[in-house]
Amino acid sequence: RYTEFFSAADIILMIFMLINQTVSVVKIAKKNKMLEHKAYIDVATGLPNKSRCEDLLNSSGFITEPLCFVMFDLNNLKEVNDTIGHAAGDSMIANFAHILRKVVPEKDFVGRFGGDEFIAILYDTTSGQADELLEKLHATIKQYHSSNMPDAISYAYGYSYSMNYKDCTLRNLLDKADHEMYLNKQAQKKKR
């Protein structure tokens, strides 16, 4: 009887230890997921941050499907920070991020690439569809301005389309979109 009692007690103890171990593993998994989320999400915008963008850029091979890479850069952020204040600059960044995520379809990637730079990767998209999306973004920003003049948002953009290049990667498309964005920014400065 003592043997049966100790065997039952051992089994109950092992079950308790197994349950305790399982609960610990679940807690650790939740904490890891939360830390991973924090590591890859920009706090100010809720978008994937530079680290997540870089991981995506570095993990892709040659692109074989139609894809459009768009680079955005907010204009005059330093001027807004210096004249109105950093809260206004932060608001401009957050509002642009919100509008961008609203306009770009859910299936596509939108991330904050740097202080005032954002990227969008439009999957399974033609260059015509990319143009339509950029027109929609422009119209949405214009509509935003009509009710929020103090936080006026101005941006430059450039994009590159995968089907225009042979054996390109996301990194190649980033470089080309960045160059086009720079040209767009220069053209905007000349118009002022």
Side-chain angles (χ1 to χ4, degrees), residues 70-97:
V70 190
M71 175 71 109
F72 299 94
D73 185 81
L74 292 175
N75 295 328
N76 307 320
L77 180 63
K78 182 178 179 352
E79 184 178 310
V80 169
N81 284 338
D82 291 347
T83 57
I84 303 173
H86 285 276
D90 292 346
S91 176
M92 189 168 104
I93 288 168
N95 289 330
F96 182 73

Side-chain angles (χ1 to χ4, degrees), residues 27 62 77 118 126 176 192:
K27 284 181 181 178
F62 290 119
L77 180 63
F118 296 84
T126 66
K176 292 173 186 326
R192 289 186 216 158

Side-chain angles (χ1 to χ4, degrees), residues 59-131:
S59 67
S60 78
F62 290 119
I63 298 167
T64 57
E65 72 277 349
L67 178 145
C68 187
F69 193 106
V70 190
M71 175 71 109
F72 299 94
D73 185 81
L74 292 175
N75 295 328
N76 307 320
L77 180 63
K78 182 178 179 352
E79 184 178 310
V80 169
N81 284 338
D82 291 347
T83 57
I84 303 173
H86 285 276
D90 292 346
S91 176
M92 189 168 104
I93 288 168
N95 289 330
F96 182 73
H98 175 74
I99 292 168
L100 191 58
R101 184 68 271 180
K102 183 173 137 185
V103 170
V104 175
E106 191 71 28
K107 70 175 179 64
D108 299 321
F109 179 85
V110 175
R112 185 174 181 193
F113 195 66
D116 61 354
E117 294 179 331
F118 296 84
I119 62 172
I121 302 172
L122 312 175
Y123 298 101
D124 195 26
T125 302
T126 66
S127 59
Q129 289 169 322
D131 287 335

